[in-house]
Amino acid sequence: MRNRKDQISYHIMLLPGMVLVAIFSLLPMVGIVMAFQKYMPAKGIFGSEWVGLKNFEILMKYPDVRNVIINTLVIAIAKLVLGIIVPVVFAVLLNEVRNAGLKRTMQTIVYLPYFLSWVILAMMFQNMFSYTGMINQLVTAFGGEPVMYLISNTYFRPIIILTDVWKNFGYSAVIYLATITGIDPQLYEAGEIDGANRWDKMIHITLPALKGTIVLMSTLALGNILNAGFDQIFNMYSPLVYETGDIIDTYVYRMGLEKLQYSMGTAVGLFKSVVSFVLIVSSYKLADKFAGYRIF
Amino acid sequence: MKRAQLTTKFLAMVLAMLMIISLLSACGQPAENSSASKPESSKSEASVESKADSESSAEAEPTGDDDIWTPYGKYAETVEIHTAKRSSSAPKLLPGDTVDDNVMTRYILDTVNVQTITDWEVESTEFPNKLALMMASGSLPDMFTLGTSDYLLFRQLLDNDMLEELGDVYSKVLKPELQATVESYNGTAQEPFMQDGKLYGIAGGQYAYEHNILWLRKDWLDECGITELPKTVEDIEAILTAFKEKNPGGNNVGMLLHYQDVATDYNNGYGANPLFSCFGATPRMWVKNADGEIVWGSTMPEMKEGLRVLADWYQKGLIDPQFATRSALGAMDAVITGGQTGAFFAPWWVTYNINDLPANNPDADLVPVNAPLDSEGKFHANGPAPAGEVLVVRKGYEHPEAVAKVMNCEFDMWRGYKEEAAELIRETRENGASWTYLFPTSGVNFERMTVVPDCGLLCRNLIDKGVEEGVEGTTEQERIMARQAKYYADTGDITTGGWTEYYGRYLASNILATPEVELTMPAYAYTTDSMADLKPNLDTLERTTFLKIVMGEQPVDSFDQFVTDWYAQGGQTMTDEVRALVG
């Protein structure tokens, strides 16, 4: 045993954080019981009638639920995968740009949309993809038929995924660029002596050096696997694309908050958390097994 | 992603600290400032005072105090009422005035010695949620207004004994003019808010005639050489076709339709309800069908005809091709104000939403029409649900009668029952303050059942005959609007509210209650036990099916499948429940 007194001071330093976690993360967990109740605001959590798994039964009866889960997974996974590939490629390529001014300008420009709210961006994209918008004007200029992209079940998902990647890749790219800057220049010099050209250096030095960061970023991103992006979809969807665009969060919002169905909303939320938990644990194990990477 | 998490954590920390601080500070408060202790102390003071005043009334309960239980009985000690508000994005109060200190609250304080305190205000869409939270935590405001769609909350409050009985408050303290307003509904307005013969709310009632009618651009009709207003579906189609071919405004997109509800709920604009009603369907309402059975109107077989017409029009390009994408706030209104459409279905009040039209298109002239008519020349429309907005009082509030006094004062000012009161509020009113925000009661929509056509008649008398003559009970508020309409009729000045009143009240309100109009009243208008769970999902099904049929993604005949699905996915349960309740 080490010096206990020494450890106590650390524990005291930890205490405020733990209290906050208890108040804001653990205590609200009590609310989960609403999922097993017919919750009535007037009776409160402790007075409402218990209904067991009835809410989940009703939930499974909704024909939309399967669709909603599939949409969530497809959109979230696509965002996750592209959200790794695009910034890595961009960072590696940008790193090859010689002109420092150009490099910095590029970096700032792609970083910019990250700071804009989806409410604003959704408006922008609605305009761009509208029947008489920019995209359709291009399409008709080349002799095509105008399409209403945002209410088309063919285009809605790709638009959601691509616009999200566009908005966020600048931020991840900055992190990758920072990692690249930290690579020991001696490695590149050694490579050059061994006759490596720029392509070889990129493949054999830059990318392997990025591996750790990529795994870290992906594992962190996995925590959000079922968060397919409420802000974005809520501001861009409409009833016609519920089929391909309705995700768990928007569904919970429509069913739960808008119509005061707290029990149903909690049931869906709990369901989502359980699925997320399983996914996170298994992907964490996978990351450990295949990349030897652990956060904890 | 990491950045987002850090930001969230940081925000959470800041919030956490703020909340701890506020918790700490709140802990110190109850002793001097909570709502629980103050009224009690003032009450005891009051009773001490009355003891000193006269020996005889010392024993009397407050209910026995004749002076307090009158419309303007002034309290000796200031009585506080805590309230909650649906906030307005632009309150437009006079400089220096606040929600709790403005010309109306000061008048109330002077007249009856009641001070209103707004505990919290949220946007109307968030109001039911916030209220539910307050219900659960047992900290309801003393008085609050429930909206037309919050009836379920009212039932919950009542079932859990959280509301004060208001029968005496209504009959003894609410002034006769306001009682007359409630009586104009022949009891239907109050019935939903009664239990075992006792009244639990001051009901505003939901007035009739807020159904969708057809609006056309008169200047476009003239330009296309169409002199006759449409009567049938074919007439309307001919007009839409002419609009499409001649394109009078230069950028006509076709008829406007609601972006997600092909047929809208009562009092919601841009749904093509008349088109369904003329074939005998009554969408978005529980009604008795021809066999006398109660059904959900949107599943009636007659709906198919309306959908067929709309799908046909859409396919011919007569309906705005991108209507389904106009989901942003005000996007549908903008199609009208931008001069992009010459035809739409909306209630008479739509002119309030589209009052930018004359500024953008100086030539614009609208004409409201009762069309399409059925084969017998009748125009069918949905009637209102009996439950409108209602003002309720928290159980255990010491001065429920004060609520009615506040209401008396509010309407004395707004409707001009008392001249000096009306004079006081003139400046705030002309500044454009919204009455729903100004009223401490949050503005229960409190009008006679027939106020819309009544006011229309007043406008017509004033403009056509020059006499300011309305039905009995006409209020100052209605006269002000009629004068605005007259001002526009005389001058054509679009900078005041006259344009809105002229088209909405002088023109539209006068065709709402004509003999050709037949209202269908809902057979059931509340929420059954399972409806809360099942209906949101069924509404989505209805919405998407209708949209897809109109836009040609599904054949019209898929309506039959929709009806089967609707019953299978819970519609049968709901229907059985409604039939059991109403019989």
Side-chain angles (χ1 to χ4, degrees):
Chain A
M1 280 276 153
R2 299 215 193 99
N3 187 347
R4 281 188 172 249
K5 266 182 193 162
D6 195 33
Q7 288 200 349
I8 284 173
S9 62
Y10 288 124
H11 279 112
I12 291 175
M13 283 163 75
L14 189 67
L15 190 67
M18 281 306 175
V19 169
L20 291 183
V21 168
I23 294 177
F24 295 107
S25 296
L26 293 179
L27 266 185
M29 291 278 187
V30 178
I32 289 177
V33 300
M34 281 197 279
F36 307 100
Q37 291 178 330
K38 186 177 171 62
Y39 177 74
M40 292 217 194
K43 291 183 177 162
I45 289 179
F46 301 105
S48 293
E49 182 195 340
W50 292 91
V51 294
L53 293 174
K54 190 169 157 254
N55 289 322
F56 294 91
E57 275 167 34
I58 295 176
L59 184 68
M60 289 308 149
K61 265 194 213 154
Y62 288 166
D64 300 343
V65 166
R66 230 189 93 230
N67 234 339
V68 165
I69 295 172
I70 293 173
N71 289 339
T72 312
L73 285 176
V74 169
I75 294 175
I77 292 173
K79 279 180 176 176
L80 201 145
V81 172
L82 284 177
I84 293 165
I85 298 176
V86 174
V88 168
V89 171
F90 177 80
V92 170
L93 291 179
L94 191 65
N95 187 48
E96 301 297 322
V97 174
R98 282 291 153 110
N99 184 330
L102 182 66
K103 202 167 154 182
R104 227 169 284 145
T105 319
M106 289 276 280
Q107 200 179 322
T108 314
I109 290 175
V110 299
Y111 198 6
L112 210 59
Y114 179 78
F115 295 101
L116 295 177
S117 143
W118 269 118
V119 179
I120 297 161
L121 290 177
M123 282 287 222
M124 197 180 98
F125 287 121
Q126 264 165 359
N127 266 321
M128 261 173 74
F129 289 105
S130 79
Y131 195 62
T132 49
M134 208 168 90
I135 309 282
N136 269 323
Q137 282 179 12
L138 270 177
V139 169
T140 39
F142 288 102
E145 280 287 307
V147 183
M148 272 173 286
Y149 295 99
L150 286 181
I151 51 170
S152 144
N153 281 315
T154 323
Y155 293 102
F156 187 74
R157 259 189 215 158
I159 288 177
I160 287 294
I161 294 162
L162 291 177
T163 51
D164 181 77
V165 171
W166 169 81
K167 180 182 189 288
N168 291 321
F169 86 93
Y171 168 69
S172 318
V174 168
I175 294 177
Y176 292 120
L177 273 172
T179 317
I180 293 172
T181 324
I183 299 173
D184 190 348
Q186 286 183 8
L187 288 173
Y188 292 103
E189 282 166 26
E192 262 169 53
I193 291 166
D194 289 344
N197 58 24
R198 292 184 70 169
W199 175 254
D200 295 331
K201 281 191 281 181
M202 206 197 284
I203 297 295
H204 297 291
I205 300 171
T206 317
L207 277 182
L210 278 178
K211 197 178 111 189
T213 317
I214 293 174
V215 176
L216 171 71
M217 296 286 281
S218 329
T219 318
L220 285 177
L222 283 171
N224 286 322
I225 186 134
L226 284 190
N227 292 333
F230 175 81
D231 290 3
Q232 179 193 20
I233 292 177
F234 183 70
N235 283 301
M236 285 166 82
Y237 79 161
S238 60
L240 277 176
V241 287
Y242 284 167
E243 201 178 309
T244 54
D246 202 11
I247 56 168
I248 296 178
D249 293 330
T250 49
Y251 190 73
V252 172
Y253 176 82
R254 280 207 323 278
M255 298 299 142
L257 279 180
E258 227 175 4
K259 312 276 180 186
L260 297 180
Q261 284 311 99
Y262 298 105
S263 286
M264 194 53 65
T266 315
V268 184
L270 181 62
F271 174 75
K272 179 185 157 184
S273 303
V274 171
V275 177
S276 292
F277 184 73
V278 172
L279 284 173
I280 292 166
V281 169
S282 45
S283 49
Y284 178 69
K285 291 275 181 221
L286 287 178
D288 181 27
K289 194 171 175 191
F290 293 109
Y293 188 83
R294 285 163 162 274
I295 296 180
F296 306 110
Chain B
M1 294 260 179
K2 192 181 170 195
R3 171 82 176 216
Q5 283 188 342
L6 283 178
T7 326
T8 330
K9 269 186 190 156
F10 175 72
L11 277 176
M13 291 281 267
V14 173
L15 272 177
M17 284 173 185
L18 282 177
M19 288 179 96
I20 287 176
I21 293 169
S22 63
L23 264 180
L24 289 176
S25 58
C27 288
Q29 270 181 0
E32 62 252 359
N33 206 11
S34 96
S35 56
S37 60
K38 184 105 184 203
E40 229 170 291
S41 64
S42 63
K43 191 173 140 192
S44 56
E45 276 167 43
S47 61
V48 167
E49 217 164 84
S50 61
K51 253 180 207 162
D53 280 352
S54 69
E55 292 280 345
S56 57
S57 70
E59 297 286 332
E61 284 289 308
T63 41
D65 195 334
D66 289 342
D67 203 34
I68 293 304
W69 284 79
T70 54
Y72 297 100
K74 192 170 178 177
Y75 296 99
E77 290 284 322
T78 303
V79 166
E80 285 183 355
I81 301 184
H82 290 261
T83 180
K85 262 202 158 95
R86 291 172 158 77
S87 67
S88 152
S89 50
K92 289 185 184 163
L93 296 171
L94 293 180
D97 278 359
T98 66
V99 64
D100 286 332
D101 181 18
N102 56 54
V103 62
M104 191 169 262
T105 60
R106 285 191 294 268
Y107 177 71
I108 294 168
L109 187 64
D110 287 348
T111 316
V112 291
N113 205 5
V114 172
Q115 174 68 53
T116 53
I117 297 158
T118 307
D119 280 353
W120 44 270
E121 50 173 286
V122 287
E123 275 187 48
S124 9
T125 47
E126 283 303 308
F127 191 84
N129 272 321
K130 174 85 178 171
L131 195 70
L133 200 65
M134 292 290 139
M135 275 165 78
S137 65
S139 48
L140 285 175
D142 297 332
M143 70 169 179
F144 48 96
T145 298
L146 293 169
T148 314
S149 52
D150 303 335
Y151 190 69
L152 196 65
L153 275 181
F154 173 82
R155 291 309 312 184
Q156 283 195 16
L157 284 162
L158 190 57
D159 292 346
N160 293 286
D161 197 25
M162 296 170 96
L163 296 181
E164 190 73 36
E165 207 263 320
L166 296 178
D168 278 351
V169 172
Y170 172 79
S171 58
K172 290 184 186 161
V173 188
L174 199 68
K175 62 187 288 175
E177 288 91 335
L178 295 180
Q179 286 192 29
T181 307
V182 181
E183 303 303 332
S184 74
Y185 292 84
N186 302 319
T188 56
Q190 284 179 314
E191 199 248 37
F193 305 106
M194 296 186 72
Q195 195 171 49
D196 304 331
K198 288 179 175 169
L199 182 67
Y200 289 92
I202 299 182
Q206 183 159 212
Y207 38 92
Y209 307 109
E210 308 225 279
H211 52 262
N212 288 348
I213 50 176
L214 176 68
W215 290 80
L216 296 168
R217 278 283 291 269
K218 182 79 170 43
D219 51 327
W220 287 19
L221 290 176
D222 294 345
E223 217 174 311
C224 295
I226 300 168
T227 48
E228 215 160 292
L229 290 175
K231 284 196 173 68
T232 62
V233 176
E234 291 74 30
D235 292 348
I236 300 176
E237 181 170 337
I239 289 173
L240 292 176
T241 314
F243 283 177
K244 183 180 159 68
E245 279 161 6
K246 303 204 174 136
N247 195 2
N251 42 23
N252 174 35
V253 292
M255 187 179 92
L256 177 68
L257 200 57
H258 190 278
Y259 77 97
Q260 62 178 12
D261 294 318
V262 171
T264 41
D265 287 328
Y266 179 72
N267 203 9
N268 280 280
Y270 306 140
N273 301 49
L275 209 51
F276 296 104
S277 302
C278 80
F279 294 110
T282 42
R284 307 293 309 153
M285 200 165 87
W286 292 98
V287 284
K288 278 211 165 97
N289 67 8
D291 303 332
E293 284 181 320
I294 293 177
V295 291
W296 178 243
S298 303
T299 63
M300 294 165 91
E302 291 87 349
M303 288 294 292
K304 228 166 139 176
E305 295 311 310
L307 287 170
R308 200 188 303 281
V309 170
L310 284 172
D312 181 44
W313 287 1
Y314 186 84
Q315 204 250 325
K316 287 177 181 161
L318 303 180
I319 294 176
D320 171 18
Q322 44 177 337
F323 77 92
T325 63
R326 304 201 189 269
S327 57
L329 191 70
M332 293 186 293
D333 300 335
V335 178
I336 303 171
T337 55
Q340 290 177 286
T341 188
F344 53 94
F345 291 103
W348 67 271
W349 48 251
V350 72
T351 51
Y352 285 90
N353 295 9
I354 55 168
N355 55 11
D356 288 340
L357 177 66
N360 296 343
N361 304 270
D363 299 330
D365 186 12
L366 290 171
V367 57
V369 198
N370 283 333
L373 306 174
D374 73 358
S375 49
E376 284 155 27
K378 293 280 184 196
F379 180 77
H380 294 273
N382 290 11
E389 290 174 346
V390 65
L391 179 71
V392 294
V393 175
R394 167 179 69 84
K395 179 101 185 176
Y397 177 58
E398 293 81 358
H399 299 286
E401 75 287 350
V403 171
K405 294 181 194 178
V406 168
M407 228 168 151
N408 292 341
C409 294
E410 288 171 346
F411 284 100
D412 280 347
M413 298 188 98
W414 200 256
R415 291 210 185 138
Y417 289 133
K418 286 191 174 172
E419 213 166 292
E420 74 278 8
E423 195 54 44
L424 276 174
I425 203 155
R426 186 178 300 275
E427 197 187 349
T428 306
R429 184 179 203 141
E430 280 168 4
N431 197 38
S434 121
W435 63 282
T436 46
Y437 187 75
L438 196 62
F439 280 30
T441 55
S442 237
V444 198
N445 210 345
F446 205 76
E447 298 287 357
R448 299 187 308 279
M449 186 166 189
T450 52
V451 67
V452 177
D454 287 354
C455 190
L457 179 71
L458 178 72
C459 293
R460 201 169 59 190
N461 284 342
L462 186 62
I463 292 173
D464 293 351
K465 300 179 198 158
V467 284
E468 200 176 282
E469 198 178 72
V471 298
E472 197 188 333
T474 300
T475 61
E476 180 67 13
Q477 186 188 348
E478 290 161 50
R479 287 198 192 94
I480 290 176
M481 294 184 297
R483 279 174 218 142
Q484 284 181 328
K486 165 101 168 122
Y487 174 74
Y488 173 78
D490 292 344
T491 61
D493 181 0
I494 57 164
T495 54
T496 67
W499 183 88
T500 301
E501 308 296 353
Y502 179 83
Y503 283 98
R505 299 198 182 268
Y506 173 66
L507 288 182
S509 299
N510 277 310
I511 66 165
L512 298 175
T514 50
E516 65 192 2
V517 178
E518 262 185 21
L519 298 187
T520 311
M521 293 296 171
Y524 179 78
Y526 310 117
T527 314
T528 64
D529 281 344
S530 63
M531 225 182 256
D533 288 333
L534 298 170
K535 197 155 169 293
N537 198 50
L538 292 174
D539 282 347
T540 306
L541 179 71
E542 179 181 327
R543 227 169 229 173
T544 43
T545 310
F546 289 2
L547 277 175
K548 284 183 175 171
I549 290 177
V550 171
M551 299 183 72
E553 286 178 31
Q554 282 181 10
V556 178
D557 287 336
S558 64
F559 176 81
D560 301 332
Q561 184 58 42
F562 155 74
V563 176
T564 315
D565 291 346
W566 190 88
Y567 278 107
Q569 292 174 21
Q572 189 62 52
T573 316
M574 286 178 5
T575 311
D576 291 345
E577 282 179 356
V578 172
R579 284 178 186 172
L581 281 169
V582 188

